[in-house]
Short mmCIF file of all heavy atoms in Angstrom, two decimals:
data_model
loop_
_atom_site.label_atom_id
_atom_site.label_comp_id
_atom_site.label_asym_id
_atom_site.label_seq_id
_atom_site.Cartn_x
_atom_site.Cartn_y
_atom_site.Cartn_z
N GLY C 1 -5.57 13.68 0.97
CA GLY C 1 -5.28 13.96 2.37
C GLY C 1 -5.16 12.74 3.26
O GLY C 1 -4.89 12.88 4.46
N ALA C 2 -5.38 11.54 2.72
CA ALA C 2 -5.26 10.33 3.54
C ALA C 2 -3.80 10.08 3.90
O ALA C 2 -2.87 10.50 3.20
CB ALA C 2 -5.82 9.13 2.78
N GLU C 3 -3.60 9.38 5.02
CA GLU C 3 -2.26 9.00 5.46
C GLU C 3 -2.14 7.49 5.46
O GLU C 3 -3.10 6.78 5.81
CB GLU C 3 -2.00 9.54 6.86
CG GLU C 3 -2.11 11.05 6.98
CD GLU C 3 -2.06 11.51 8.43
OE1 GLU C 3 -1.61 10.70 9.28
OE2 GLU C 3 -2.51 12.63 8.71
N ILE C 4 -0.98 6.99 5.08
CA ILE C 4 -0.72 5.55 5.12
C ILE C 4 -0.10 5.21 6.46
O ILE C 4 1.03 5.63 6.76
CB ILE C 4 0.19 5.11 3.96
CG1 ILE C 4 -0.52 5.34 2.62
CG2 ILE C 4 0.57 3.64 4.11
CD1 ILE C 4 0.32 5.02 1.41
N ALA C 5 -0.83 4.49 7.29
CA ALA C 5 -0.35 4.12 8.62
C ALA C 5 0.47 2.84 8.60
O ALA C 5 1.23 2.58 9.52
CB ALA C 5 -1.54 3.95 9.57
N MET C 6 0.32 2.06 7.54
CA MET C 6 1.04 0.79 7.42
C MET C 6 1.04 0.36 5.98
O MET C 6 0.05 0.54 5.27
CB MET C 6 0.34 -0.28 8.27
CG MET C 6 1.03 -1.64 8.29
SD MET C 6 0.02 -2.87 9.16
CE MET C 6 -1.04 -3.43 7.83
N GLY C 7 2.15 -0.17 5.50
CA GLY C 7 2.22 -0.71 4.14
C GLY C 7 2.35 0.39 3.11
O GLY C 7 3.11 1.34 3.26
N GLY C 8 1.62 0.23 2.01
CA GLY C 8 1.65 1.21 0.94
C GLY C 8 2.55 0.84 -0.22
O GLY C 8 2.51 1.47 -1.28
N THR C 9 3.39 -0.18 -0.07
CA THR C 9 4.29 -0.60 -1.14
C THR C 9 3.51 -1.19 -2.31
O THR C 9 2.64 -2.04 -2.12
CB THR C 9 5.31 -1.64 -0.63
OG1 THR C 9 6.06 -1.07 0.43
CG2 THR C 9 6.24 -2.10 -1.74
N THR C 10 3.83 -0.74 -3.52
CA THR C 10 3.23 -1.32 -4.73
C THR C 10 4.35 -1.66 -5.70
O THR C 10 5.22 -0.82 -5.96
CB THR C 10 2.24 -0.34 -5.40
OG1 THR C 10 2.93 0.86 -5.79
CG2 THR C 10 1.10 0.02 -4.46
N LEU C 11 4.33 -2.87 -6.25
CA LEU C 11 5.35 -3.32 -7.19
C LEU C 11 4.66 -3.81 -8.46
O LEU C 11 4.17 -4.94 -8.52
CB LEU C 11 6.18 -4.45 -6.58
CG LEU C 11 6.94 -4.14 -5.27
CD1 LEU C 11 7.61 -5.39 -4.74
CD2 LEU C 11 7.95 -3.03 -5.49
N PRO C 12 4.57 -2.96 -9.49
CA PRO C 12 3.84 -3.33 -10.71
C PRO C 12 4.34 -4.61 -11.36
O PRO C 12 3.55 -5.41 -11.86
CB PRO C 12 4.05 -2.12 -11.63
CG PRO C 12 4.37 -0.99 -10.71
CD PRO C 12 5.11 -1.60 -9.55
N GLU C 13 5.68 -4.82 -11.35
CA GLU C 13 6.23 -5.99 -12.05
C GLU C 13 5.80 -7.30 -11.40
O GLU C 13 5.80 -8.35 -12.04
CB GLU C 13 7.76 -5.90 -12.10
CG GLU C 13 8.47 -5.98 -10.76
CD GLU C 13 8.55 -4.65 -10.01
OE1 GLU C 13 7.87 -3.69 -10.44
OE2 GLU C 13 9.28 -4.58 -9.00
N ASP C 14 5.43 -7.25 -10.12
CA ASP C 14 5.00 -8.45 -9.40
C ASP C 14 3.52 -8.41 -9.06
O ASP C 14 3.02 -9.31 -8.36
CB ASP C 14 5.83 -8.61 -8.12
CG ASP C 14 5.82 -10.04 -7.58
OD1 ASP C 14 5.64 -10.97 -8.39
OD2 ASP C 14 5.96 -10.21 -6.37
N ARG C 15 2.81 -7.39 -9.51
CA ARG C 15 1.40 -7.17 -9.18
C ARG C 15 1.20 -7.29 -7.66
O ARG C 15 0.27 -7.93 -7.18
CB ARG C 15 0.48 -8.14 -9.92
CG ARG C 15 0.62 -8.10 -11.43
CD ARG C 15 -0.56 -8.75 -12.15
NE ARG C 15 -0.92 -10.04 -11.66
CZ ARG C 15 -0.38 -11.18 -12.07
NH1 ARG C 15 0.58 -11.18 -12.98
NH2 ARG C 15 -0.79 -12.33 -11.57
N TYR C 16 2.10 -6.64 -6.93
CA TYR C 16 2.11 -6.74 -5.47
C TYR C 16 1.68 -5.43 -4.83
O TYR C 16 2.21 -4.36 -5.17
CB TYR C 16 3.50 -7.11 -4.98
CG TYR C 16 3.70 -6.98 -3.48
CD1 TYR C 16 3.05 -7.84 -2.59
CD2 TYR C 16 4.54 -6.00 -2.95
CE1 TYR C 16 3.24 -7.72 -1.22
CE2 TYR C 16 4.74 -5.88 -1.58
CZ TYR C 16 4.08 -6.74 -0.72
OH TYR C 16 4.26 -6.62 0.63
N ILE C 17 0.71 -5.50 -3.93
CA ILE C 17 0.36 -4.38 -3.07
C ILE C 17 0.41 -4.90 -1.65
O ILE C 17 -0.27 -5.87 -1.30
CB ILE C 17 -1.03 -3.82 -3.39
CG1 ILE C 17 -1.08 -3.30 -4.84
CG2 ILE C 17 -1.40 -2.69 -2.42
CD1 ILE C 17 -2.44 -2.79 -5.28
N ALA C 18 1.24 -4.27 -0.83
CA ALA C 18 1.43 -4.73 0.55
C ALA C 18 0.15 -4.56 1.35
O ALA C 18 -0.71 -3.72 1.03
CB ALA C 18 2.55 -3.92 1.20
N PRO C 19 -0.03 -5.35 2.42
CA PRO C 19 -1.12 -5.07 3.36
C PRO C 19 -1.00 -3.62 3.83
O PRO C 19 0.04 -3.21 4.35
CB PRO C 19 -0.84 -6.07 4.50
CG PRO C 19 -0.07 -7.18 3.86
CD PRO C 19 0.78 -6.52 2.82
N THR C 20 -2.05 -2.86 3.60
CA THR C 20 -1.98 -1.40 3.77
C THR C 20 -3.13 -0.90 4.62
O THR C 20 -4.28 -1.30 4.41
CB THR C 20 -2.00 -0.71 2.39
OG1 THR C 20 -0.85 -1.13 1.64
CG2 THR C 20 -2.01 0.80 2.51
N VAL C 21 -2.83 -0.02 5.58
CA VAL C 21 -3.85 0.64 6.39
C VAL C 21 -3.81 2.13 6.08
O VAL C 21 -2.75 2.76 6.09
CB VAL C 21 -3.61 0.40 7.89
CG1 VAL C 21 -4.60 1.22 8.73
CG2 VAL C 21 -3.74 -1.08 8.22
N VAL C 22 -4.98 2.68 5.76
CA VAL C 22 -5.11 4.09 5.38
C VAL C 22 -6.01 4.79 6.40
O VAL C 22 -7.09 4.28 6.74
CB VAL C 22 -5.73 4.22 3.97
CG1 VAL C 22 -5.91 5.67 3.59
CG2 VAL C 22 -4.88 3.49 2.94
N VAL C 23 -5.57 5.94 6.88
CA VAL C 23 -6.39 6.72 7.81
C VAL C 23 -6.72 8.07 7.19
O VAL C 23 -6.00 8.57 6.32
CB VAL C 23 -5.70 6.89 9.18
CG1 VAL C 23 -5.48 5.54 9.84
CG2 VAL C 23 -4.36 7.62 9.04
N ASN C 24 -7.83 8.64 7.64
CA ASN C 24 -8.29 9.95 7.17
C ASN C 24 -8.56 9.98 5.67
O ASN C 24 -8.34 10.99 5.00
CB ASN C 24 -7.28 11.06 7.52
CG ASN C 24 -7.07 11.19 9.01
OD1 ASN C 24 -8.01 11.08 9.80
ND2 ASN C 24 -5.82 11.41 9.42
N ALA C 25 -9.05 8.86 5.12
CA ALA C 25 -9.39 8.84 3.70
C ALA C 25 -10.62 9.70 3.45
O ALA C 25 -11.61 9.60 4.18
CB ALA C 25 -9.65 7.40 3.24
#
């Protein structure tokens, strides 16, 4: 039920997770 307010991009080939803000976790 959490919402992503910012970011959320994940790229496995580059081991990249964008700066991410999660609300209502």
Side-chain angles (χ1 to χ4, degrees):
E3 301 171 18
I4 296 176
M6 183 187 86
T9 300
T10 61
L11 301 175
E13 65 276 11
D14 201 27
R15 303 197 311 273
Y16 169 69
I17 299 177
T20 298
V21 174
V22 178
V23 297
N24 299 321

